[in-house]
Amino acid sequence: MRYRLRRPDRVRSNPFFPSISRRASRAFSLVLPLVLAAAAAGCSTVPLKEGGTLSSYSNLGPPKGKLQKSRIYVDGAGLAPAKTVAIAPTTFAFSAATRIKSPDDRTMVSNALDRALCISLSDKYRIVGAGEPADLTIRSVVTDIVPTNKTMAGVSTVVTVGTGFVLPVGVPRLPAGLGGLAVEAEAVDGAGVQRAAMVWARGANSLQNNPRVSEVGDAYSLASKFSSEFSRMLIARKEPKGLDLSLPSGQRMKSWLGGKPKYVACDAFGREPGLVGAVAAKYGAPPQWTEKKPKPAAAAY
């Protein structure tokens, strides 16, 4: 029996079997302009704002940054002896509180910020309950918040998730209805002397922040961004520069996955949603669906 091999050029010329690479190329050429447009325009702007809650603003340096703006003060020598840290629950300035209707939503953002601080600082310091004697006490205040447009977040989720199934490159979040957050915080020693301070503001953008159908969807995720910068400053005892490329510690990974934190004081701010929360965020679910509330016993600090 003879087998007749089909010539490669005939296979390629068959009109019923267009090459996969050609399809991918066409799809990519269609989606690329959308990606670039979103990258250029998709960013919420939140100005730096002094809330009048820091013990001093005179030590702060000049404003820095574009996507993420901040003014920073850090006394490395003054921080060096510190071994223990207490985290006072984050509060809202009146002007920021009036922009978010639900007290539960404000509490959720506050807990997310304080929990991220507690987990990160546990790498270096022993965390004690708020109000207990500590070498450093951290006080944070949300000075401004830009609510997320829930309708636009829902539309963005449908577009982003839907196109991810049919195109080689997912379409970024639509550059509309983006939220933002501004926070100021300080670390004071046992005598009430300011040893570090930060005034910080950041808006959500189309490429880095998943849309979530919640008025505080963006503020919730940005709260941990602030906490990361502030804790980096305290741990290094100097102004953080560039991206943090260090690998997370074992205790951080355990806590981020929703496990028991290194110090029981961190339970005052609830546990991380873990993998369930990560999946929910990918598909635009409100953080309220997966956020774990503080345990009653831990909240009594």
Side-chain angles (χ1 to χ4, degrees):
M1 181 179 293
R2 293 183 178 179
Y3 294 94
R4 184 176 181 182
L5 298 176
R6 185 182 296 272
R7 288 174 57 188
D9 60 330
R10 290 184 180 179
V11 175
R12 288 194 297 268
S13 64
N14 193 319
F16 297 102
F17 296 95
S19 69
I20 295 176
S21 61
R22 194 173 301 167
R23 287 180 178 178
S25 177
R26 283 200 297 266
F28 184 77
S29 66
L30 291 174
V31 76
L32 183 59
L34 295 176
V35 174
L36 295 177
C43 182
S44 173
T45 301
V46 183
L48 285 175
K49 189 173 184 179
E50 292 184 6
T53 65
L54 299 184
S55 56
S56 174
Y57 291 86
S58 60
N59 295 321
L60 293 171
K64 295 182 179 180
K66 293 182 179 179
L67 177 65
Q68 176 177 290
K69 300 178 285 292
S70 64
R71 296 179 63 200
I72 289 174
Y73 164 67
V74 56
D75 175 6
L79 290 172
K83 303 295 182 185
T84 58
V85 168
I87 300 173
T90 292
T91 59
F92 274 67
F94 177 77
S95 58
T98 56
R99 305 192 73 178
I100 301 299
K101 300 175 184 177
S102 169
D104 289 341
D105 283 354
R106 296 197 296 270
T107 299
M108 186 176 64
V109 172
S110 299
N111 281 340
L113 190 155
D114 294 330
R115 179 172 61 230
L117 269 178
C118 204
I119 292 171
S120 297
L121 291 174
S122 294
D123 278 346
K124 181 179 177 64
Y125 301 100
R126 181 168 64 88
I127 311 299
V128 301
E132 293 185 24
D135 298 326
L136 294 173
T137 297
I138 298 174
R139 300 190 292 246
S140 305
V141 177
V142 173
T143 56
D144 197 8
I145 189 167
V146 178
T148 302
N149 185 300
K150 293 191 290 185
T151 301
M152 289 307 303
V155 173
S156 293
T157 298
V158 172
V159 171
T160 301
V161 174
T163 55
F165 289 110
V166 298
L167 296 177
V169 177
V171 174
R173 178 179 180 177
L174 300 177
L178 303 172
L181 185 71
V183 183
E184 64 182 23
E186 65 181 354
V188 298
D189 64 16
V193 177
Q194 185 185 80
R195 298 300 182 183
M198 179 181 289
V199 175
W200 181 96
R202 179 166 176 162
N205 66 75
S206 296
L207 298 180
Q208 295 176 304
N209 301 102
N210 290 330
R212 305 193 69 169
V213 186
S214 167
E215 192 175 38
V216 293
D218 289 315
Y220 177 81
S221 64
L222 291 171
S224 62
K225 298 289 186 185
F226 163 78
S227 297
S228 175
E229 291 298 297
F230 195 77
S231 60
R232 280 177 66 194
M233 179 178 68
L234 293 183
I235 290 172
R237 303 200 305 272
K238 61 182 180 181
E239 181 178 343
K241 296 184 183 297
L243 296 175
D244 183 7
L245 301 179
S246 61
L247 294 175
S249 64
Q251 73 89 15
R252 283 199 198 192
M253 289 300 299
K254 181 181 178 181
S255 296
W256 287 342
L257 290 173
K260 183 179 179 181
K262 184 176 180 179
Y263 297 108
V264 68
C266 294
D267 268 334
F269 311 115
R271 300 275 178 93
E272 287 282 357
L275 294 177
V276 173
V279 173
K282 179 176 176 61
Y283 291 97
Q288 292 90 334
W289 288 10
T290 55
E291 177 70 11
K292 299 178 181 179
K293 294 182 179 181
K295 296 180 180 179
Y301 284 113

